[in-house]
């Protein structure tokens, strides 16, 4: 049993093993001259003062166990503001939290919450990493063929008992915050008896990715939840909150159990088409949050050229309107906010938007969450069929190829009349081939409407330049700015804030006074 340190507001952290603390306590009482140190160790209760902390720091033990325990204790005391009690935690019901990955990186998020009885274990998100341990870009293509055992031994799959196909299933459920691969890319390895919970929109996008991105998520055991409707899994009650993010129908989770209320934000922002949901959440915030597990992607990053999605739409419209020839727009087909911005900008300029079969399928699948999402048969939309995409769709359902046929456009039509067209493009050999074929059809431009980092990593810029296609970046981030992180934390008033999904967790401490910074795979009791 570890020893736990409490302040008046609640739990702070593990101090050491029982053995280490006993050793340290006996030693410190013998050698210390500081009365507050003696009082603290004898009564387990004392004011946290500079003298107390200095008293502990003045003890220099040559025994490594004792020295380590004192260091841990001093670290934890520094986080307390009034009174601390040392307890071995016996008889206290507290869920345990482990962030398996994401305490010091963006991507690969995975959180485990275990009830005090140990009977309910929730996993929130199970994402593919975006970076290797040296921060170089992670390439799933290299690891795709690895066995489960190899993925575990290389720490690509977090080590979690009872979660994967090779184990007896003991995890109660997996909750998915949203359909970005760095949050769900490893779901395929989850044992088929473990249920997976997600929103309707997330399920739709997961289905699309199964067809086009080979994500292989078995959807038969997926249970969908509705936003703001509480449901139970074992000893926990879970309420999903709709969040504004670059993935549709993204959720945050309020999880209640063992007397604790924990809020996990997932990925969010307040400047997309659903920015109003962040406003509403902050104006009508759930009370008494003990722990806020909050993303911090934007810490240490520039905010970018455009502050919000509406300024992106306006810039797109102005550029497309002024362009005399064909326009390529590079974006993610799963970023619905951006697809809507592009569609509206194209329509306002009186031109036609050409999407591929993959994008047509995304929009079709997302029609379940809103009737106002543009569809393949809407005014000003045409669909360009590629052999590769048609093959993929045909495997799923050949009827879809006929369904989208009414809006089909031939490549020759684009070639003959490029000037009133905007072609949604990807950085793929298929689209590079099209750009090469259309090189001499007039003055084309390209708009890059994705995160700048992706452009930096590819040679797309040079490719376009060599084909005489100038490129302009128009984008806004999918993640919360610093002021939005503060806004949410101020509204939720959590006792403690735990950073996740950030390369700069230490920056949380510059913004907030009540931060618990964890390491990957470190388990703490939430009490
Ligand atoms: Zn995301």
């Amino acid at each position: 049993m570890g020893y736990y340190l409490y302040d008046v507001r609640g739990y702070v952290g593990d101090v050491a093993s029982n053995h280490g603390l006993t050793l340290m306590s006996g030693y410190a009482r013998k050698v210390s001259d500081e009365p507050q140190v003696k009082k603290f160790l004898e009564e387990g209760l004392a004011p946290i003062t500079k003298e107390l902390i200095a008293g502990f720091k003045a003890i220099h033990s040559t025994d490594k166990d004792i020295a380590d325990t004192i260091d841990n204790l001093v670290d934890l005391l520094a986080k307390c503001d009034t009174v601390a009690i040392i307890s071995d935690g016996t008889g206290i019901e507290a869920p345990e939290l482990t962030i398996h990955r994401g305490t010091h990186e963006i991507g690969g998020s995975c959180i485990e919450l275990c009830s005090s009885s140990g009977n309910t274990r929730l996993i929130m998100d199970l994402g593919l990493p975006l970076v290797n341990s040296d921060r170089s870009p992670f390439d799933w293509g290299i690891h795709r063929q690895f066995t489960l055992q190899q993925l575990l031994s290389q720490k690509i799959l977090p080590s979690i008992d009872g979660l994967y196909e090779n184990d007896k299933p003991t995890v109660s459920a997996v909750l998915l915050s949203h359909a970005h691969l760095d949050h769900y890319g490893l779901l395929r390895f989850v044992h088929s008896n473990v249920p997976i919970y997600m929103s309707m929109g997330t399920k739709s996008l997961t289905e699309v990715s199964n067809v086009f991105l080979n994500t292989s998520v078995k959807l038969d055991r997926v249970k969908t939840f509705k936003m703001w409707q509480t449901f139970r899994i074992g000893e926990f009650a879970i309420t999903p909150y709709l969040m504004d993010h670059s993935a549709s129908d993204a959720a945050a989770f309020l999880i209640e159990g063992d007397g604790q209320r924990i809020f996990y934000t997932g990925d969010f922002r307040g400047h997309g088409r659903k920015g109003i949901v962040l406003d509403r959440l902050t104006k009508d915030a759930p009370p008494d949050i003990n722990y806020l597990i909050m993303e911090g992607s934007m810490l240490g990053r520039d905010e970018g050229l455009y502050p919000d999605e509406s300024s992106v739409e306006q810039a797109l419209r102005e550029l497309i309107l002024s362009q005399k020839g064909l326009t390529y727009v590079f974006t993610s087909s799963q970023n619905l906010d951006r697809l809507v911005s592009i569609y509206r900008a194209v329509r306002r300029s009186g031109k036609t938007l050409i999407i591929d079969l993959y994008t047509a399928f995304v929009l079709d699948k997302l029609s379940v969450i809103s009737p106002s999402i543009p569809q393949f048969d809407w005014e000003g939309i045409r669909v360009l069929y590629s052999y590769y995409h048609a093959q993929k769709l045909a495997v799923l359902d050949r009827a879809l190829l006929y369904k989208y046929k009414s809006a089909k456009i031939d490549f020759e039509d684009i070639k003959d009349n490029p000037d009133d067209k905007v072609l949604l493009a990807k950085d793929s050999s298929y689209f590079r081939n099209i750009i090469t074929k259309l090189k001499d059809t007039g003055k084309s431009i390209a708009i890059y409407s994705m995160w700048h980092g992706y452009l930096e990593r590819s040679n797309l810029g040079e490719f376009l330049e060599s084909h005489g296609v100038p490129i302009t970046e128009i984008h806004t981030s999918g993640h919360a700015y610093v002021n939005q992180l503060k806004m949410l934390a101020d509204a939720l008033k959590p006792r403690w804030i735990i950073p996740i999904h950030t390369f700069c967790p230490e920056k949380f401490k510059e913004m907030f006074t009540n931060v618990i910074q964890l390491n990957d795979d470190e388990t703490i009791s939430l009490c």
Side-chain angles (χ1 to χ4, degrees):
M1 174 61 77
Y3 272 74
Y4 301 91
L5 187 70
Y6 295 83
D7 75 349
V8 286
R9 291 176 303 176
Y11 167 81
V12 179
D14 279 305
V15 176
S17 67
N18 192 336
H19 177 67
L21 193 79
T22 308
L23 274 182
M24 185 277 290
S25 178
Y27 181 78
R29 264 186 276 179
K30 218 179 331 159
V31 303
S32 176
D33 296 327
E34 174 54 57
Q36 289 191 23
V37 168
K38 290 182 191 285
K39 182 173 164 26
F40 180 83
L41 292 172
E42 274 160 21
E43 298 177 12
L45 182 69
I48 307 301
T49 59
K50 280 185 192 149
E51 289 74 24
L52 177 71
I53 292 172
F56 274 112
K57 281 187 176 166
I59 301 167
H60 297 289
S61 172
T62 50
D63 183 298
K64 192 174 177 314
D65 274 356
I66 292 174
D68 284 351
T69 307
I70 291 175
D71 283 350
N72 290 341
L73 184 60
V74 166
D75 273 359
L76 294 173
L77 288 177
K79 293 177 184 168
C80 303
D81 56 358
T82 43
V83 179
I85 304 166
I86 292 178
S87 152
D88 66 358
T90 309
I92 293 168
E93 288 188 354
E96 286 191 337
L97 170 78
T98 311
I99 297 182
H100 290 287
R101 186 164 47 215
T103 61
H104 288 75
E105 68 187 85
I106 294 175
S109 291
C110 183
I111 302 168
E112 177 173 356
L113 199 58
C114 178
S115 65
S116 60
S117 69
N119 291 334
T120 307
R121 287 171 62 216
L122 300 181
I123 302 296
M124 290 185 278
D125 293 338
L126 185 60
L128 269 174
L130 292 175
V131 294
N132 300 306
S133 52
D134 63 357
R135 297 263 179 110
S136 58
F138 175 81
D139 183 354
W140 178 232
I142 299 171
H143 307 92
R144 193 181 274 278
Q145 304 306 330
F146 282 19
T147 62
L148 186 68
Q149 215 47 54
Q150 286 171 319
L151 291 169
L152 280 166
S153 65
Q154 298 221 358
K155 295 191 184 327
I156 292 163
L157 273 177
S159 170
I160 302 173
D161 292 342
L163 179 63
Y164 305 116
E165 288 289 2
N166 64 342
D167 217 346
K168 184 168 167 275
T170 54
V171 165
S172 313
V174 177
L175 297 176
L176 186 57
S177 65
H178 65 283
H180 275 160
L181 286 173
D182 63 326
H183 290 256
Y184 83 95
L186 294 167
L187 272 191
R188 74 178 73 184
F189 300 103
V190 172
H191 196 288
S192 45
N193 288 356
V194 175
I196 300 174
Y197 289 75
M198 58 181 79
S199 70
M200 225 23 230
T202 299
K203 188 182 175 198
S204 292
L205 290 172
T206 312
E207 271 183 87
V208 173
S209 299
N210 272 349
V211 177
F212 288 100
L213 306 178
N214 303 320
T215 40
S216 312
V217 178
K218 296 169 207 102
L219 292 164
D220 49 341
R221 52 18 207 290
V222 165
K223 296 174 193 284
T224 53
F225 54 70
K226 291 206 167 67
M227 298 297 174
W228 306 290
Q229 292 191 9
T230 306
F231 58 97
R232 287 203 75 87
I233 298 173
E235 291 148 285
F236 291 116
I238 297 132
T239 311
Y241 283 75
L242 179 65
M243 299 300 266
D244 178 35
H245 184 44
S246 46
S248 294
D249 224 15
F253 298 113
L254 168 63
I255 299 182
E256 299 163 89
D258 288 334
Q260 299 296 317
R261 287 163 61 81
I262 301 138
F263 195 94
Y264 167 47
T265 62
D267 289 356
F268 76 102
R269 62 178 170 180
H271 52 273
R273 294 195 169 275
K274 291 231 164 1
I276 191 159
V277 296
L278 184 64
D279 278 343
R280 283 191 197 142
L281 177 59
T282 53
K283 282 185 186 118
D284 188 18
D288 305 322
I289 300 297
N290 305 90
Y291 293 86
L292 170 62
I293 305 169
M294 183 161 71
E295 77 121 312
S297 313
M298 290 303 281
L299 299 177
R301 267 191 191 175
D302 289 339
E303 294 198 355
L305 289 172
Y306 293 89
D308 53 32
E309 197 61 39
S310 62
S311 60
V312 163
E313 182 185 324
Q314 193 182 337
L316 285 167
R317 181 166 59 88
E318 283 165 14
L319 186 54
I320 291 168
L321 193 59
S322 67
Q323 160 65 356
K324 298 280 180 271
L326 179 65
T327 306
Y328 301 102
V329 184
F330 289 82
T331 195
S332 158
S333 288
Q334 296 202 15
N335 183 344
L336 179 63
D337 275 19
R338 191 57 44 81
L339 294 181
V340 172
S341 296
I342 294 166
Y343 175 67
R344 287 163 59 107
V346 171
R347 287 313 293 150
R348 286 190 177 183
S349 61
K351 298 189 179 184
T352 299
L353 176 64
I354 299 164
I355 59 176
D356 57 16
L357 276 170
Y358 168 36
T359 313
F361 188 50
V362 170
L363 296 171
D364 193 359
K365 293 301 293 179
L366 286 176
S367 63
V368 293
I369 59 168
S370 165
S372 57
I373 293 170
Q375 295 299 320
F376 69 95
D377 53 357
W378 281 28
E379 186 81 32
I381 296 192
R382 304 293 296 275
V383 183
L384 181 64
Y385 279 47
S386 72
Y387 178 75
Y388 175 73
H389 283 158
Q391 286 290 100
K392 293 263 178 197
L393 265 190
V395 170
L396 177 76
D397 182 1
R398 185 163 280 279
L400 288 169
L401 293 178
Y402 297 106
K403 180 177 176 181
Y404 304 142
K405 213 171 174 183
S406 61
K408 189 178 174 189
I409 188 168
D410 290 328
F411 174 73
E412 294 303 320
D413 289 351
I414 304 172
K415 196 176 173 192
D416 294 343
N417 291 298
D419 296 356
D420 65 344
K421 302 206 170 45
V422 175
L423 179 59
L424 206 71
K426 308 263 167 357
D427 185 8
S428 67
S429 54
Y430 172 72
F431 280 105
R432 287 191 183 210
N433 195 22
I434 286 185
I435 292 164
T436 305
K437 282 189 194 161
L438 294 175
K439 196 178 168 198
D440 301 319
T441 53
K443 195 90 193 100
S444 305
I445 59 163
I447 298 171
Y448 196 77
S449 200
M450 297 170 83
W451 178 50
H452 176 72
Y454 295 134
L455 185 60
E456 270 182 355
R457 286 177 199 172
S458 84
N459 63 355
L460 180 68
E462 292 95 60
F463 172 82
L464 290 168
E465 204 177 312
S466 70
H467 286 69
V469 181
I471 188 164
T472 305
E473 289 185 61
I474 302 178
H475 181 59
T476 193
S477 174
H479 297 279
Y481 301 136
V482 170
N483 66 320
Q484 293 164 339
L485 297 175
K486 282 188 178 148
M487 199 170 106
L488 183 60
D490 284 351
L492 290 171
K493 299 186 182 59
R495 274 201 337 230
W496 300 107
I497 298 176
I498 300 173
I500 192 169
H501 207 270
T502 178
F503 285 119
C504 303
E506 68 287 347
K507 288 200 186 291
F508 274 70
K509 288 188 179 162
E510 294 165 16
M511 297 158 58
F512 308 108
T513 54
N514 50 341
V515 176
I516 301 176
Q517 193 181 321
L518 296 179
N519 291 313
D520 285 359
D521 280 330
E522 184 183 348
T523 299
I524 62 165
S525 290
L526 306 181
C527 51

